């Protein structure tokens, strides 16, 4: 079975122009091109497009997606990873549905909804990751710290975070080395940023666990496609990881 480019575009909810662009950049080539010049796609090509669309949904750029697909040894492992990510997203949405339903039912009953329940599912995108890496205590303390901030304080914190990410991206584009003094100053700034979050080893002054945490965060930036997108692309994520690794093992 195969589809024409128009059929595939319609079923995928994208344009034929997008598919032709994917072909030009080598991201998704047709299964065959007919004598009439029409592009045709078989199930293998459609499966690859499914992967591309999933990664685009995670915010990844085309170069980063191409890198993931090129380095992938087993496509089945990639699909398993996508299923895990989608299941996490489904669980988060289900928590949001429950929290909004709680708010609706409380208001209909004329009682005050619980404030902590109202925000369940909206504030714990990385809850499972934090707990698995640093324990329940770290998540609970940092979560309480965040929700104890005023809206203005939360906005200021997010702006500081965005400024830090922008500085990392600028360093990559400037051609800096991860071991350069500038990159290491950014790594120091990143560690200071982490140390402001209660419950983390950096905040508690635990040197050995802090080194482990900073190195682990660097690895996570490369392993998790969400962070590759945050730092512009996979190369940016690798730059931050390498700079943090260097800083953790030579200056902490």
């Amino acid at each position: 079975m195969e589809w024409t480019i128009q059929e595939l575009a319609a079923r995928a909810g994208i344009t034929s122009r997008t598919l032709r662009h994917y072909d030009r950049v080598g991201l998704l080539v047709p299964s065959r091109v007919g004598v009439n010049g029409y592009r045709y796609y078989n199930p293998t090509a459609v499966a690859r497009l499914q992967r591309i669309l999933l990664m685009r949904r995670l915010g990844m750029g085309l170069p980063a997606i191409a890198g993931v697909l090129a380095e992938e040894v087993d496509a089945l492992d990639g699909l398993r990873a996508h299923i895990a990510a989608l299941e996490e997203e489904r669980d988060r949405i289900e928590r949001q549905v429950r929290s909004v339903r709680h708010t609706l039912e409380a208001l209909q009953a004329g009682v005050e909804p619980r404030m902590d329940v109202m925000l369940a599912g909206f504030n714990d995108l990385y809850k499972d990751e934090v707990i698995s890496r640093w324990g329940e205590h770290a998540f609970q303390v940092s979560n309480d710290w965040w929700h104890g901030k005023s809206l203005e304080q939360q906005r200021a914190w997010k702006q500081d975070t965005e400024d830090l990410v922008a500085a990392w991206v600028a360093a990559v584009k400037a051609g800096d080395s991860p071991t350069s003094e500038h990159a290491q100053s950014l790594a120091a700034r990143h560690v200071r940023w982490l140390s402001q979050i209660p419950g983390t080893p950096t905040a508690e002054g635990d040197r050995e666990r802090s080194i482990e945490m900073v190195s682990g965060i660097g690895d996570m930036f490369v392993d998790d496609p969400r962070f590759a997108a945050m730092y512009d692309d996979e190369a940016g994520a690798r730059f931050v990881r390498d700079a943090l690794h260097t800083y953790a093992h030579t200056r902490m």
Side-chain angles (χ1 to χ4, degrees):
M1 182 179 178
E2 59 184 11
W3 287 332
T4 65
I5 188 172
Q6 290 83 8
E7 290 172 327
L8 179 58
R11 290 174 182 269
I14 57 178
T15 65
S16 299
R17 181 180 179 182
T18 297
L19 289 172
R20 286 193 291 271
H21 177 65
Y22 289 172
D23 184 11
R24 282 195 301 273
V25 300
L27 193 60
L28 178 69
V29 298
S31 308
R32 70 180 180 91
V33 178
V35 293
N36 54 6
Y38 288 177
R39 294 173 170 85
Y40 295 90
Y41 298 83
N42 65 12
T44 301
V46 174
R48 185 177 174 90
L49 176 61
Q50 180 190 58
R51 304 279 315 285
I52 294 168
L53 295 178
L54 284 168
M55 285 187 275
R56 288 292 286 163
R57 185 173 178 273
L58 291 172
M60 292 178 64
L62 297 186
I65 294 173
V68 169
L69 295 176
E71 295 175 6
E72 191 172 75
V73 176
D74 188 346
L76 296 181
D77 286 341
L79 289 170
R80 292 186 187 100
H82 283 309
I83 289 172
L86 289 169
E87 287 176 339
E88 287 181 7
E89 179 69 7
R90 178 200 61 199
D91 292 343
R92 186 177 67 84
I93 291 173
E94 287 179 351
R95 290 195 296 273
Q96 290 181 344
V97 169
R98 288 195 296 270
S99 68
V100 174
R101 182 174 289 120
H102 164 79
T103 304
L104 174 63
E105 292 174 352
L107 293 175
Q108 286 176 330
V111 299
E112 285 189 351
R114 288 178 51 192
M115 291 190 291
D116 57 334
V117 175
M118 283 192 287
L119 294 177
F122 294 92
N123 60 357
D124 54 1
L125 182 58
Y126 302 112
K127 176 180 180 179
D128 293 339
E129 292 177 27
V130 172
I131 292 175
S132 66
R133 288 174 181 267
W134 301 296
E136 177 78 37
H137 172 72
F139 171 76
Q140 196 57 57
V141 171
S142 60
N143 195 53
D144 292 344
W145 162 80
W146 176 252
H147 290 292
K149 286 179 173 292
S150 66
L151 182 58
E152 184 177 347
Q153 289 172 326
Q154 289 181 348
R155 286 173 176 168
W157 174 265
K158 288 181 178 180
Q159 186 60 56
D160 287 343
T161 305
E162 291 173 5
D163 291 345
L164 176 58
V165 171
W168 277 120
V169 172
V172 176
K173 291 182 177 179
D176 285 352
S177 164
T179 59
S180 68
E181 197 58 38
H182 181 222
Q184 289 304 291
S185 69
L186 287 176
R189 177 178 168 185
H190 206 118
V191 172
R192 288 195 301 272
W193 175 81
L194 285 169
S195 68
Q196 298 176 57
I197 305 173
T200 61
T202 50
E204 295 175 351
D206 187 328
R207 179 175 179 273
E208 293 302 319
R209 290 181 64 233
S210 293
I211 292 173
E212 179 184 355
M213 177 184 181
V214 171
S215 297
I217 286 175
D219 292 336
M220 186 170 63
F221 289 160
V222 174
D223 296 339
D224 191 325
R226 289 171 294 183
F227 294 105
M230 184 170 73
Y231 289 108
D232 224 18
D233 55 27
E234 191 176 351
R238 285 198 302 268
F239 178 93
V240 179
R241 177 200 61 190
D242 293 346
L244 289 176
H245 275 204
T246 298
Y247 183 85
H249 294 290
T250 63
R251 306 196 183 194
M252 288 183 68

